[in-house]
Amino acid sequence: MKKYLISACLIGENVRYDGKNCLQQQLKQLIETGQAVTICPEVSGELSTPRPPAEIVGGDGCDVLNHRAKVMDAQGNDVTQAFILGAEKTLKLAQKYQVTHVILKANSPSCSSNMIYDGTFTGQKTQGVGVTTALLEQHGFQVMTEDAFLKQLENK
């Protein structure tokens, strides 16, 4: 049976940097039926809610893990260690529950699996993955955005 790991904001938990969520009812149903576990890597990394928005500066999540880039918040604070801690806790959860599918929030500096903000806090995006996605992919997990997952459901 498939077991999903889903970003907490996608099932309606108010854990985003702005204190809001991005509820996707179809994903919440996976939690309600016991098919999924949920986590917010940033909250797991001990960041508060709400919190200043953060972006990866100098690369993407892979570069952060290799100490070639940092995660900075809009106030100029280096929050790299919190993002790495959250990624490590997410990996442990995925391994513990033998997750087969990972659905994480698009555009997030933790969770994105294709596009991230470019580190300039101007709303510009660039190709790249978030810190948590990078760590999960290094350990063999395939990560997709909520949009990609919901599109798959439509095509079935």
Side-chain angles (χ1 to χ4, degrees), residues 87-105:
E88 290 169 346
K89 287 183 178 180
T90 303
L91 174 63
K92 284 184 178 132
L93 186 72
Q95 291 170 331
K96 177 181 177 182
Y97 286 97
Q98 299 176 324
V99 165
T100 58
H101 293 70
V102 181
I103 305 158
L104 300 180
K105 181 71 187 97

Side-chain angles (χ1 to χ4, degrees), residues 6-119:
I6 302 173
S7 290
C9 63
L10 296 174
I11 62 143
E13 291 185 23
N14 294 324
V15 293
R16 282 175 41 99
Y17 73 92
D18 57 8
K20 297 180 180 167
N21 68 67
C22 303
L23 175 63
Q24 297 290 335
Q25 197 59 47
Q26 290 165 295
L27 295 176
K28 188 171 184 178
Q29 287 173 337
L30 293 172
I31 296 289
E32 292 167 351
T33 58
Q35 293 175 267
V37 293
T38 184
I39 193 168
C40 172
E42 293 171 26
V43 171
S44 294
E46 302 174 4
L47 293 172
S48 63
T49 303
R51 58 191 168 275
E55 295 185 9
I56 298 172
V57 177
D60 73 353
C62 296
D63 297 307
V64 171
L65 294 175
N66 290 314
H67 309 289
R68 292 191 302 259
K70 292 182 179 200
V71 186
M72 303 295 290
D73 73 18
Q75 296 174 341
N77 300 306
D78 184 338
V79 291
T80 304
Q81 284 312 117
F83 275 73
I84 291 171
L85 176 63
E88 290 169 346
K89 287 183 178 180
T90 303
L91 174 63
K92 284 184 178 132
L93 186 72
Q95 291 170 331
K96 177 181 177 182
Y97 286 97
Q98 299 176 324
V99 165
T100 58
H101 293 70
V102 181
I103 305 158
L104 300 180
K105 181 71 187 97
N107 305 319
S108 159
S110 287
C111 297
S112 187
S113 54
N114 54 14
M115 297 293 286
I116 56 172
Y117 290 97
D118 69 1

